[in-house]
Amino acid sequence: MERKQRRGFGQMWIFWAFLLPNLLGVLIFTLVPMLRVLLSSFQTAVGGHWVGFQNYATVLQNSAFRLAVANTTRFTLICIPILLVISLGLALGLRALPGIGVRLRSAFLMPMAVPAASVVLVWKVLFHEQGLLNGILISITGEGVRWMDTDASFWMLVISYLWRNLGYTTVLWTAGLAAIPESIYEAARVDGAQGWQVLRYITLPSLKGTGYTIDVLSLLNSFKVFREAWLVEGDYPQQSMYLMQHLYNNWFRELDFDKIAAASVMTSLVVFVLIGLLGKAWDKKE
Amino acid sequence: MNKVQKILLGMALAGLALMLCFPIWFGITGAFSSQWELETNLAPVFTGTEEMVTWSFLPQAPTLEPLVQVLMDAPEFFVMFWNSVTITLGILAGQLLVGVPAAWALAQLPLPGKGKILSGYIVLMLMPFQVLMYPQYLVVRDLGLLDTLGAVILPAVFSTFPVFLLHRFFLAIPGEILEAARIDGAGELRIFWQIGIPLGMPGVMAVGILSFLDSWNLIEQPMTYLKTKSLWPLSLFLPQIQLKDIGMGFAAALLMLIPALLLFISGQEYLEQGIALSGGKD
């Protein structure tokens, strides 16, 4: 208490001086313009006339918007569960192998460091109709997949996303696993729990908090898969990999700022709500 | 788990690791292959013949020719490489300059309302570029920065993720050390500089590496804010390379890959620490 009183105006000012340059920058470059966009989402792009929710209605009826939303939703619903399960399995597996596990983890993590643009040629050769991946597929199943111009291009995105994020997510799970106190395991062993039981009743419930953060971070990273899509297929890709960013870029070229504003506001709301819902979901799970 | 199970598990995981690293290996060997060898191996891609693409684990006639060609005969490569370097270092320097003190304030200084500020930062950090693109476009336009490297650098300098992550590292420094220093009469600046920075160094390294990898890989931002081709970073230049120059394409890709890979290998310990902390519980 006494110390608090001694912190006069001068002292407080020094504390704020640490934060203010960054805080001001965040306000100027992000928060204030976001509010501006919120405002302009209720106005016409030219002239700024007040139109209520008309921009929102236009965007929601737009077929390209619906396609992009459907693809993005499908992508996250498929990718994130796969990513979470495989990477948790990897984290558990690596933990069971002290020594070599650490080295293997580095190998899993490496794709994360690779700039998307520097493997674009590799991707093109891998996923070409007569490419390496189909070479393997044909030798196993006798049939290849037309990755580039069918619905399969969606799976190319899934593979790209998993490739880039598997190691990152494994490291996150590993950290969550390391945070579980050894004493809980010992207590469980004393009570006679073994193998799968330990996993089911001790490990998984203790990972709830980690699971939530990983979900949120994976969701955020899932938006970046646009890079692979754009690098491999350019501005107008096969329909099933048409993502939000493609749509934004098209609207941008056509100066449809009213649509972009409304879509941005809706996207931020969805992200915001999703973060909240995911939090609830992970809290309730046993 | 018995020994046999462990060996089997190790082999399975090693197999997966090899699979994940294969595209990287593919890219590296491609850069040391001659244009002729690439054209032969990748003939179906070029001419649409019926057979399948082939690839050898090592180039049959390894050559430095494409690399030399890129370094000697492709002046536009240097321009783009330099743009990438400027963007990355600019973002990095800015983030450290304003972000490190801010993270320190949020972690260790008794500011009123800092919990709310931090929550706001976390929400902003989770917003994808699709949400931020148009708002940031407006600021950049109003500041007259459109079509300059500043349009890519400045908004990224004030991204909130580095502050959040660094704040996590700074939180781990026990408050008693700082109180003791204050009682000894050390000023806030000195405490930050002589205690905070050295003890938080792993965090600064982690943030530096993550930011470098992110900035080096930027695509959406330069694509939106830069019209002039001579300002483009490598990430926009590489996809433009025509198939007839595929040798040079692989070589240029390798030159873009090298800085990121070197940083990854040398700073991996910090990187893993940083990733682990970014996901830890609140």
Side-chain angles (χ1 to χ4, degrees), chain B residues 126-223:
Chain B
L126 295 172
M127 287 296 160
F129 179 67
Q130 282 85 336
V131 171
L132 301 176
M133 167 172 157
Y134 183 43
Q136 291 183 343
Y137 169 81
L138 289 178
V139 195
V140 167
R141 188 192 62 189
D142 291 353
L143 291 175
L145 291 171
L146 267 190
D147 214 17
T148 67
L149 292 185
V152 180
I153 295 173
L154 270 176
V157 163
F158 296 105
S159 75
T160 53
F161 177 72
V163 179
F164 164 78
L165 185 53
L166 262 168
H167 141 271
R168 280 269 168 98
F169 275 94
F170 282 144
L171 270 184
I173 301 175
E176 296 91 65
I177 301 181
L178 311 181
E179 281 307 312
R182 286 198 184 104
I183 289 168
D184 289 347
E188 289 301 325
L189 210 57
R190 211 177 130 197
I191 292 176
F192 168 64
W193 195 249
Q194 295 196 338
I195 299 174
I197 298 272
L199 291 182
M201 209 50 190
V204 177
M205 299 292 284
V207 166
I209 295 168
L210 280 167
S211 281
F212 180 97
L213 295 178
D214 207 36
S215 320
W216 192 248
N217 196 11
L218 285 183
I219 287 182
E220 295 92 333
Q221 290 83 343
M223 199 161 128

Side-chain angles (χ1 to χ4, degrees), chain B residues 256-269:
Chain B
M256 182 182 186
L257 179 64
I258 286 174
L261 226 42
L262 283 182
L263 195 70
F264 172 81
I265 291 164
S266 60
Q268 205 193 337
E269 189 190 327

Side-chain angles (χ1 to χ4, degrees), chain A residues 3 7 15 22 33 36 90 105-106 108 113 116 130 132 163 172 213 220 227 231 245 248-249 252 257, chain B residues 13 20 26 49-51 53 121 126 130 133 135 137 142 179 188 217 220 223 239 260 268 272 275 279:
Chain A
R3 179 158 295 127
R7 283 184 185 133
F15 291 155
N22 187 266
R36 253 177 88 186
L90 283 179
R105 203 171 63 206
S106 314
F108 290 136
Q130 284 137 280
L132 292 179
W163 179 72
L172 287 170
T213 356
L220 178 69
R227 291 176 180 172
L231 286 168
Q245 189 68 45
Y248 272 53
N249 291 344
F252 222 87
F257 290 128
Chain B
L13 291 179
L20 289 176
F26 187 161
T49 50
E50 284 296 309
E51 76 263 38
V53 162
Y121 272 34
L126 295 172
Q130 282 85 336
M133 167 172 157
Y137 169 81
D142 291 353
E179 281 307 312
E188 289 301 325
N217 196 11
E220 295 92 333
M223 199 161 128
Q268 205 193 337
E272 287 192 20
I275 297 172

